Structure formats: structure tokens, C-alpha cells
Amino acid sequence: MIYTWNLDPVALSIMGLKVHWYGLSYLAGFFIAIHLGRYLWNRYSQNPEVEKDIFESFVFSTFLAGIIGGRLGLFLFYAPQTLWQDPLQIFQVWEGGMSIHGGLIGATLWGLWQCKKNNWNPLKVSDVFILPLAIGLFFGRIANFVNGELYGRPTDQTWGVIFPHIDELLRHPSQLYEASKNLLIAAILWTAIKKHGFQRPGLLTAIMLVGYGVLRFLIEYVREPEIYFGPLTMGQALCVAMITIGAGIFWLPKLRSNR
């Protein structure tokens, strides 16, 4: 049975104010970061205890930095002409669209500054929020599907979806592939936490960067490309950098210990 996309991006309307599913996915991601992050920080991590208001302030500011980085990254990496043609589009978050790579850069830069300010180990802090990030990205990709954006390339497979606002072709539901990828990574991370805890700083961060990078690189082959960077799509090129950084976080401590 062929499915034709006909979803409403608006979840509800309150006194004329439209609440979009994409916005709700952000909200879900924030609460997951706050509550699951706090649980992991106190229960499993080796981070020092922090007061609730300091923790929540850190999560909120880092989350905001991630959103800003994600929006800027979307246009810098995929549509740079928008920055001077219609710069206000950057602030139209309800329309959807984020660059995970830009979001990671924004959150990382802000997080590093906060860690230095509070004398926290950056890798230990990063490990705490990697699982909430993977779960939050799952909801984000579901919202992408609801928005009918970031669709896949044409396919002849029966599970293809018709996006009538694009054309009448069957296309890969690449948003759902990516949602499944994020859920798989979250399951792997949770298994690693239950088995190894936070004994090795940076391990969970490395798993996320390498796992996400490899799987996203492969999914790019069925996702409608937005821009190319040489023989690779821009997404694949950014994933190569992501994998390299993750591998470095994983292997550098081993190399240093062998000297």
C-alpha cells in the first residue's frame, strides 16, 4: 500500500497562535536534556555535584547555543545565499530546518567555555548529554517527516512515500531512516552506560560521533542532496569530520598511555 504524505505540521492552535510539531520536538529535547541529563549526572557520572539552578542554567544556555548553531549551520553549509537574500529566515524556527553539525559546533563551543568557567571536565560533561541528544534528535527527525521536509531520493521500493507538495514520485522516507538511526544510537549508548558507566571520559561522545557519522554518511545516499562538496554531499563531508573527531577522542588516550 502506497502512503501519500498528508500530515499537518501544526499540532494545535491556541487563540490563533499555531504550535508546530517541530517546535514541540525542541521542547521535548530540552526537557529530556534537563531531566535525563540530571539523572545521569547524579547517578552515573563522575562529575562534581552542582546546584539545580546552575545545572538548569547550563542546560538552557547550551541548548540555546545548539539551536543558534544549528540554524546558522543550516544556511552556512546548505544555503549560504539566504544569509544575504533573506537573513530573517534564520529566526523562523517553526518552519523547520536545522544542521546537526552546526548545532554540535554551537553547543560545543559554548559548553567548552562553561566547562572552563566551572572547572568541569569537558568530556565527562559531554558524555552526560550524549544520550539525551540522541533521543532529542529522534524526535527532531520525526518532526522533519511531519513537516514533509528533508525527504529522500526517488525509489521504486513499496515503502516509498509520495510527498505531493514536491512531486508524485515515490521517495525514500529518509527522515524515518534517520529517526531509526538515532533510536539505535540511543539504545547503544544506554547499553554502554549500564555496562561501563562513565569510567572512561569521552567514550560515549566518541560512540555518538562515530556512530552518527557513519550511519548518516550512508543515509545520505538515499536522501535528496541539497549541495555537494566535491564528490560527496555536504552532509557526507561534515560526517567525515565528525567521524575523525570521534575516532580521535577514542584513540588519543590509548596512544598517550602507550608512550
Side-chain angles (χ1 to χ4, degrees):
M1 182 178 178
I2 303 301
Y3 175 71
T4 299
W5 179 93
N6 63 346
L7 301 176
D8 187 353
V10 177
L12 65 149
S13 180
I14 303 175
M15 299 180 65
L17 177 64
K18 295 180 179 179
V19 179
H20 291 70
W21 286 109
Y22 199 80
L24 291 178
S25 74
Y26 279 82
L27 192 61
F30 175 72
F31 279 102
I32 290 169
I34 284 282
H35 297 290
L36 180 56
R38 184 70 171 173
Y39 170 77
L40 294 173
W41 185 293
N42 292 333
R43 177 79 180 269
Y44 292 99
S45 81
Q46 302 171 2
N47 290 301
E49 291 188 14
V50 295
E51 296 180 6
K52 183 179 179 181
D53 59 336
I54 295 177
F55 179 86
E56 291 181 351
S57 176
F58 170 73
V59 172
F60 176 78
S61 59
T62 305
F63 190 84
L64 183 59
I67 292 176
I68 294 173
R71 291 296 289 176
L72 287 174
L74 173 68
F75 297 106
L76 284 173
F77 298 143
Y78 297 102
Q81 70 280 0
T82 305
L83 292 177
W84 60 82
Q85 292 178 355
D86 186 16
L88 292 180
Q89 190 175 335
I90 296 174
F91 303 100
Q92 297 172 8
V93 180
W94 57 89
E95 296 292 341
M98 281 272 286
S99 165
I100 173 60
H101 304 94
L104 286 175
I105 292 172
T108 298
L109 291 176
W110 178 261
L112 286 173
W113 182 74
Q114 287 289 303
C115 286
K116 182 177 181 180
K117 176 183 175 182
N118 292 288
N119 197 29
W120 295 337
N121 183 313
L123 288 177
K124 289 182 179 180
V125 172
S126 174
D127 283 346
V128 167
F129 294 101
I130 284 299
L131 176 58
L133 171 63
I135 298 174
L137 290 175
F138 164 77
F139 288 111
R141 289 309 183 192
I142 295 296
N144 288 146
F145 183 75
V146 173
N147 273 4
E149 61 188 1
L150 304 182
Y151 43 85
R153 305 187 193 202
T155 179
D156 57 2
Q157 300 297 326
T158 56
W159 61 78
V161 174
I162 297 175
F163 295 91
H165 57 295
I166 306 300
D167 51 37
E168 294 301 317
L169 299 176
L170 278 175
R171 291 180 174 274
H172 284 283
S174 55
Q175 314 97 321
L176 301 183
Y177 299 168
E178 294 220 41
S180 300
K181 168 206 69 186
N182 295 329
L183 207 56
L184 173 62
I185 293 174
I188 293 172
L189 290 170
W190 179 244
T191 301
I193 291 172
K194 296 295 287 186
K195 188 174 182 179
H196 302 291
F198 290 76
Q199 297 177 14
R200 181 181 164 186
L203 176 60
L204 298 176
T205 300
I207 290 174
M208 174 64 177
L209 291 175
V210 174
Y212 187 101
V214 169
L215 294 176
R216 169 68 183 273
F217 187 96
L218 296 174
I219 291 174
E220 282 286 316
Y221 284 113
V222 297
R223 176 174 163 173
E224 189 69 38
E226 296 170 271
I227 187 172
Y228 278 92
F229 188 81
L232 304 176
T233 66
M234 178 59 76
Q236 287 176 322
L238 293 170
C239 283
V240 170
M242 200 175 188
I243 294 167
T244 302
I245 294 172
I249 292 174
F250 182 82
W251 286 108
L252 279 179
K254 288 181 175 288
L255 294 176
R256 288 174 179 171
S257 64
N258 292 331
R259 288 182 178 178

